[in-house]
């Protein structure tokens, strides 16, 4: 726009997200949360507070700490501790197609009362579903989710050395996705605090 007026729109161009994680983490509340979440780092420890009614049904509400990756990838983290704001409060690792609350995703999480679980939404605006649930486990515990094409596999470990595969599912996602850490209080308006360490990617 200048004194002569406004030009016609330029042609659109495509862009791809970086394929290698950076040292910079992005964070935001996804969906309609009742309290604003927070994120901080001290050394290798991630402290995340998240509200939200749930990561479930056809729309999610939670705190996300993430990076953009492209193609096959994985994320691993140890959940050191989490507050018990609800039996199904969630602290986990997620691969998500978009930051829209109704996006496709796969999450491997731990909860205060229900162990670990692999969960998915296999289409935009679709209802989420559980894939597997392993009761009797509690933080501190290690979690991993691996993407190979549209196949997603979850693993858990008590020590980061001995891993157990807990489930696998197929969810069609774009090559470019958001990969990171999630916290949801499942008690909207209240903040659940969880701490993570040993956070690593492969891509």
């Amino acid at each position: 726009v200048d004194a002569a007026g406004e030009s016609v729109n330029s042609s659109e161009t495509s862009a791809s997200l970086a394929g290698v994680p950076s040292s910079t983490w992005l964070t935001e509340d996804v969906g309609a949360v009742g309290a604003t979440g927070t994120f901080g780092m001290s050394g290798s420890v991630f402290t995340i507070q998240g509200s939200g009614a749930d990561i479930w049904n056809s729309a999610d509400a939670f705190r996300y700490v993430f990076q953009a990756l492209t193609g096959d990838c994985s994320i691993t983290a140890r959940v050191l501790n989490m507050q018990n704001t609800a039996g199904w409060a969630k602290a986990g690792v997620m691969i998500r197609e978009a930051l829209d609350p109704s996006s496709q995703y796969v999450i491997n999480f731990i909860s205060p009362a229900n162990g670990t679980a692999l969960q998915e939404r296999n289409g935009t605006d679709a209802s989420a579903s559980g894939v597997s649930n392993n009761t009797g486990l509690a933080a501190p515990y290690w979690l991993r989710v691996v993407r190979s094409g549209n196949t997603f596999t979850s693993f858990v470990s008590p020590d980061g050395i001995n891993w157990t595969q807990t489930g696998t599912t197929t969810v069609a996602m774009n090559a470019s996705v958001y990969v990171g850490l999630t916290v949801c209080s499942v008690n909207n308006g209240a903040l659940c605090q969880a701490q993570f360490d040993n956070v690593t990617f492969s891509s």
Side-chain angles (χ1 to χ4, degrees):
V1 178
D2 60 19
E6 181 177 343
S7 70
V8 298
N9 292 337
S10 61
S11 300
E12 290 186 5
T13 187
S14 60
S16 60
L17 298 172
V20 178
S22 73
S23 59
T24 302
W25 290 87
L26 304 176
T27 184
E28 67 178 64
D29 286 317
V30 174
V33 298
T36 301
T38 66
F39 163 57
M41 286 186 69
S42 178
S44 63
V45 176
F46 293 60
T47 300
I48 304 171
Q49 292 184 318
S51 181
D54 209 347
I55 304 171
W56 192 241
N57 295 319
S58 60
D60 308 320
F62 66 99
R63 188 69 176 187
Y64 201 22
V65 176
F66 59 91
Q67 295 195 28
L69 296 179
T70 301
D72 293 347
C73 57
S74 71
I75 181 170
T76 300
R78 178 173 60 171
V79 180
L80 287 170
N81 55 69
M82 69 180 301
Q83 292 177 314
N84 185 359
T85 53
W88 279 105
K90 296 172 172 65
V93 291
M94 173 181 278
I95 299 177
R96 188 176 189 90
E97 184 176 81
L99 300 176
D100 184 277
S102 60
S103 170
Q104 297 99 310
Y105 72 83
V106 175
I107 183 176
N108 184 17
F109 67 87
I110 197 162
S111 62
N114 295 286
T116 65
L118 175 64
Q119 184 180 295
E120 67 172 21
R121 180 179 295 116
N122 60 15
T124 303
D125 295 318
S127 184
S129 59
V131 179
S132 64
N133 183 206
N134 302 274
T135 59
L137 304 179
Y141 226 80
W142 295 66
L143 305 173
R144 176 179 293 158
V145 63
V146 178
R147 178 186 190 179
S148 178
N150 288 324
T151 300
F152 296 81
T153 306
S154 62
F155 301 84
V156 300
S157 171
D159 54 15
I161 299 171
N162 301 292
W163 291 88
T164 300
Q165 180 176 321
T166 55
T168 187
T169 188
T170 300
V171 178
M173 289 194 200
N174 293 333
S176 298
V177 291
Y178 297 99
V179 182
L181 309 172
T182 67
V183 175
C184 179
S185 68
V186 192
N187 182 2
N188 204 18
L191 288 170
C192 175
Q193 179 173 293
Q195 292 186 306
F196 303 76
D197 69 358
N198 290 277
V199 180
T200 58
F201 289 98
S202 68
S203 68

